Amino acid sequence: MTAEQIVLVGGLWLDGSVWTGVAGELEERGRHAVPVTLPGQGDGNSSATLADQLTAVLAAVDAGPGRSVVVGHSAACTLAWMAADARPGRVAKVVLIGGFPKGDGRPYADFFEISDGVMPFPGWGPFDGADAADLDEPARRAFAAAAVPVPEGVARGVVRLADERRFDVPVVVVCPEFTPAEAREWLAAGDVPELARAKQVDLVDIDSGHWPMITRPTELARILAAV
């Protein structure tokens, strides 16, 4: 079975609209794109959990006529990997953009402070440097204004992985603010134990910061269409 669709899953604070440019470019290339708006990140459900988000991704996979390429960005690299774990026969490939999957029993995204039951966008301070280097001031203001606070039940959810067949699913790591050489070093050092056990991991470079779907949609779509 070939992959019939490309499921697009954004990272923290992002809803499905962040993929608009990429999805349009993919459709022009004859690939069916399915951007996912995750529970708690665009639907107003501040009580959403990590399990709810996984259910939404799996619903998109299950709705496809064949197998899916599942694309995860940043923290959602873990969500994409959880989808491969839950549906190893339905996920043709996992693409990880700017991140790596956490292992079983790890917290999903305990990166920033929780306030009133959500993890708001912390501002640009934590992303000084390569992460946000290609976002100009208007783009930063637009991002911050649209950022959706992530429910605590998502950010502090616990990753669950159970099916060893996930390691049979091919993985492509798209390297934005870091290089393929750096990623290769991290893999060799054992810093990404989940991918260390994957049978096929390919590394692809993209000259961008942490959010290439915003700053390099055409180039990112070309990479995704090729996989």
Side-chain angles (χ1 to χ4, degrees), residues 2-88:
T2 58
E4 301 290 344
Q5 63 179 13
I6 300 178
V7 177
L8 303 168
V9 188
L12 302 176
W13 313 297
L14 303 173
D15 65 20
S17 69
V18 75
W19 298 104
T20 299
V22 172
E25 295 276 356
L26 284 171
E27 297 288 347
E28 288 184 11
R29 288 167 168 78
R31 304 301 300 274
H32 180 47
V34 183
V36 178
T37 288
L38 295 167
Q41 289 180 223
D43 66 348
N45 180 11
S46 60
S47 63
T49 65
L50 180 59
D52 294 332
Q53 292 200 345
L54 177 60
T55 295
V57 176
L58 295 180
V61 170
D62 292 342
R67 297 199 297 167
S68 298
V69 173
V70 180
V71 179
H73 165 256
S74 193
C77 290
T78 297
L79 202 51
W81 191 238
M82 291 170 72
D85 178 75
R87 297 288 190 277

Side-chain angles (χ1 to χ4, degrees), residues 118-185:
V118 296
M119 187 172 69
F121 178 63
W124 291 107
F127 305 106
D128 277 345
D131 281 352
D134 58 350
L135 285 168
D136 60 19
E137 281 306 315
R140 293 185 187 208
R141 286 195 297 268
F143 184 107
V148 181
V150 178
E152 181 175 11
V154 173
R156 292 188 173 164
V158 177
V159 175
R160 293 301 178 200
L161 300 166
D163 196 324
E164 298 275 308
R165 290 177 296 169
R166 69 185 180 277
F167 299 119
D168 297 328
V169 179
V171 178
V172 175
V173 179
V174 178
C175 306
E177 73 275 15
F178 53 85
T179 66
E182 287 172 319
R184 206 169 283 115
E185 288 177 5

